[in-house]
Amino acid sequence: MISTFINAWKIADLRKKMLFTALIVLIFRIGAAIPVPFTNITDGITPEGSESFMNYLNMMTGEAFNYGTIFAMGVTPYINSSIIIQLLSVAIPALEKLSKEGEEGRKKMATITRYTTIALALMQSTAYFIYLRAKNFVVMDASGQLFTGISAVLQGLVVILVLTAGSAFIMWLGEQVNDKGIGNGISIILFAGIVARIPTLCVQMYSYLEVDEAYYALVPIVVVLLLAMIAYIVWMDNAERRIPVQYAKRVVGRKMYGGQSTFIPIKVNMSGVLPVIFASSILSLPATIQLFLSEDKIKGTGWETFFKMFSTDHWFYAILYFFLILFFAYFYASIQYNPVEMANNIRKNSGMIPGIRPGKPTSDYIKKILSRITLLGALLLSVVALFPNLLTIFTKLINKPMALSLGGTSLIIVVGVALETVKQLESQMMMRHYKGFLD
């Protein structure tokens, strides 16, 4: 990987793209440090050690959400809108037709995604301002009271519009990276936000050493496990199942076409990190609701037991997390792959899977393969996703509680983006070194 970046740096065109991408990342990190007007946040808005949707947003924004900066919404609205439009394109025939109209259709779909992003950012910014006002994280008047009337409306309008504009600007930055930089723009920004939390993780682990000397033996084990998980994610990301396909020979004029053997590559982790994101978002809703309720109303009631079941160090949370990952993995695989359409495409091109009859037997065979691969991929993915939770439960059992802010979702995103960027650099270097038949 390092040699790939060194070789790419030697090519002037790629060097300009890499510098442009670095400039976009720098702009993102500067914006993530500029506070929104009329906010008063010093130590962060998320309670220390809380496991809620807010903690998830902190991870996605590189702590910008925690300190109320102009990029506090991060890329979450864009990611959510992309997922929503992708799901709706399967359910709504008009969107499905639009997605298959080539370049013009893709441009229209991108425009719809942008408008949906603005709408989601506006709703999310409104909820964010309501929370800030409820927790007294906004500027107050001279008497120390919250603004009321038209002053409160103007204050909220400024905060909401600035946050929405910040989310739209991040979306624009990502598109600029796609056009003039290296890698996927949104993924690069997401990568930068997660990597920015690594110093916080190091400080957190150092604080464990100050609490108890026994952590001197436990922390190195955790570091080794993290490195092993990174290697595991690389292996999982590159693993694929190849379905062999044999094409019949065809004679067109004086030339013969076909007759070759090829394969259909199906990635073991075909859904990527999406099942983990969906599952963690759903499971974090109870903890997020708990933040809006006072402890006096919860303590000593059945709700206290209910909310404890959804903490990451509880066995119920781990079990439910596992089954939700399985569910969303199968759900996304059913949207991404259509066995009947794949079988029809093979038959239209005079192909067949060796030992399998064309038509329905081929679609049934592909469906069975997809079901097995999806199960295997979900199991492999759940190992990474549940690793921080199981570590927390284990360290709690030995009376050495240790919580990692860099969870399984973060590791999958960071490693996946790094691998994707390196592959894109390698492909562009190969294009520039290929002489072609005219030379």
Side-chain angles (χ1 to χ4, degrees):
M1 181 180 293
I2 297 177
S3 61
T4 301
F5 280 99
I6 293 175
N7 294 331
W9 184 262
K10 297 177 182 177
I11 303 174
D13 187 25
L14 291 182
R15 183 166 61 248
K16 291 180 181 179
K17 291 186 175 184
M18 293 170 66
L19 289 174
F20 181 82
T21 304
L23 176 62
I24 295 296
V25 172
L26 178 62
I27 294 174
F28 167 69
R29 292 309 304 160
I30 292 175
I34 300 176
V36 175
F38 300 116
T39 57
N40 184 21
I41 304 172
T42 56
D43 298 326
I45 65 173
T46 306
E48 186 176 355
S50 66
E51 298 295 341
S52 64
F53 187 64
M54 293 185 177
N55 214 19
Y56 165 76
L57 290 176
N58 287 339
M59 181 268 293
M60 300 287 278
T61 60
E63 293 291 340
F65 182 87
N66 196 29
Y67 292 96
T69 65
I70 61 176
F71 288 163
M73 298 298 100
V75 297
T76 307
Y78 181 82
I79 293 175
N80 292 338
S81 66
S82 300
I83 294 171
I84 291 172
I85 297 301
Q86 187 177 4
L87 295 178
L88 290 179
S89 64
V90 179
I92 302 177
L95 288 177
E96 183 179 5
K97 181 180 178 182
L98 194 63
S99 63
K100 297 179 180 179
E101 291 183 355
E103 186 64 26
E104 289 298 323
R106 284 193 292 270
K107 288 182 180 179
K108 293 179 181 178
M109 291 289 289
T111 302
I112 295 174
T113 303
R114 293 190 192 102
Y115 285 125
T116 307
T117 301
I118 299 299
L120 291 177
L122 191 62
M123 292 190 300
Q124 191 170 315
S125 301
T126 303
Y128 186 67
F129 172 74
I130 293 174
Y131 177 79
L132 292 180
R133 184 175 172 83
K135 298 297 182 180
N136 297 330
F137 285 124
V138 294
V139 174
M140 302 181 184
D141 57 21
S143 61
Q145 300 295 323
L146 293 172
F147 285 108
T148 58
I150 188 65
S151 299
V153 173
L154 292 176
Q155 185 184 57
L157 191 63
V158 170
V159 173
I160 292 171
L161 290 180
V162 169
L163 290 172
T164 305
S167 183
F169 186 65
I170 288 180
M171 179 176 61
W172 181 80
L173 290 178
E175 293 177 350
Q176 296 306 304
V177 174
N178 293 338
D179 295 336
K180 304 175 184 178
I182 288 292
N184 181 278
I186 298 299
S187 299
I188 292 294
I189 292 175
L190 189 59
F191 174 88
I194 295 174
V195 171
R197 284 171 58 90
I198 292 180
T200 303
L201 174 64
C202 295
V203 172
Q204 182 183 12
M205 297 191 73
Y206 180 75
S207 65
Y208 291 138
L209 300 179
E210 292 182 335
V211 172
D212 192 344
E213 293 183 357
Y215 281 110
Y216 280 101
L218 192 58
V219 170
I221 295 176
V222 174
V223 173
V224 172
L225 287 175
L226 284 174
L227 295 177
M229 293 303 296
I230 293 174
Y232 173 82
I233 294 172
V234 173
W235 170 78
M236 180 181 66
D237 188 76
N238 294 326
E240 63 182 18
R241 169 71 158 85
R242 297 180 176 182
I243 301 177
V245 179
Q246 178 70 40
Y247 289 97
K249 295 181 180 179
R250 294 180 301 164
V251 178
V252 180
R254 297 183 179 181
K255 293 184 178 181
M256 181 177 293
Y257 296 91
Q260 76 273 17
S261 298
T262 182
F263 57 86
I264 302 175
I266 300 177
K267 297 192 68 173
V268 173
N269 184 24
M270 64 182 74
S271 54
V273 73
L274 288 179
V276 177
I277 293 177
F278 288 164
S280 59
S281 299
I282 291 176
L283 289 177
S284 61
L285 288 178
T288 303
I289 295 173
Q290 186 181 3
L291 292 176
F292 292 89
L293 302 176
S294 61
E295 295 183 2
D296 297 335
K297 294 181 180 180
I298 300 175
K299 195 171 183 180
T301 64
W303 288 110
E304 183 179 8
T305 305
F306 173 78
F307 286 127
K308 283 184 178 179
M309 292 174 63
F310 285 90
S311 60
T312 56
D313 57 352
H314 199 280
W315 59 268
F316 177 79
Y317 180 95
I319 294 175
L320 190 57
Y321 196 15
F322 172 75
F323 282 106
L324 282 176
I325 291 174
L326 289 180
F327 170 77
F328 284 115
Y330 274 98
F331 175 76
Y332 193 79
S334 65
I335 295 175
Q336 193 174 16
Y337 289 94
N338 187 346
V340 176
E341 184 178 350
M342 294 172 67
N344 290 335
N345 290 335
I346 293 174
R347 185 172 58 178
K348 288 178 182 179
N349 291 283
S350 303
M352 64 171 293
I353 299 175
I356 307 296
R357 293 177 62 86
K360 191 175 184 301
T362 299
S363 64
D364 292 340
Y365 176 77
I366 295 176
K367 184 178 180 180
K368 182 176 67 174
I369 294 296
L370 287 174
S371 179
R372 293 177 178 177
I373 293 300
T374 302
L375 177 60
L376 178 61
L379 292 175
L380 295 175
L381 190 63
S382 62
V383 172
V384 183
L386 289 171
F387 165 70
N389 307 89
L390 297 177
L391 178 65
T392 303
I393 295 174
F394 171 74
T395 55
K396 187 178 180 180
L397 290 175
I398 61 176
N399 295 322
K400 302 294 179 184
M402 176 183 289
L404 291 180
S405 60
L406 190 66
T409 309
S410 308
L411 285 174
I412 297 172
I413 293 174
V414 168
V415 176
V417 172
L419 292 175
E420 179 186 356
T421 305
V422 169
K423 289 179 182 177
Q424 185 171 345
L425 282 173
E426 290 176 347
S427 63
Q428 294 204 22
M429 285 191 295
M430 186 178 297
M431 291 172 57
R432 284 163 174 76
H433 287 92
Y434 183 68
K435 295 183 178 181
F437 69 94
L438 292 177
D439 294 338

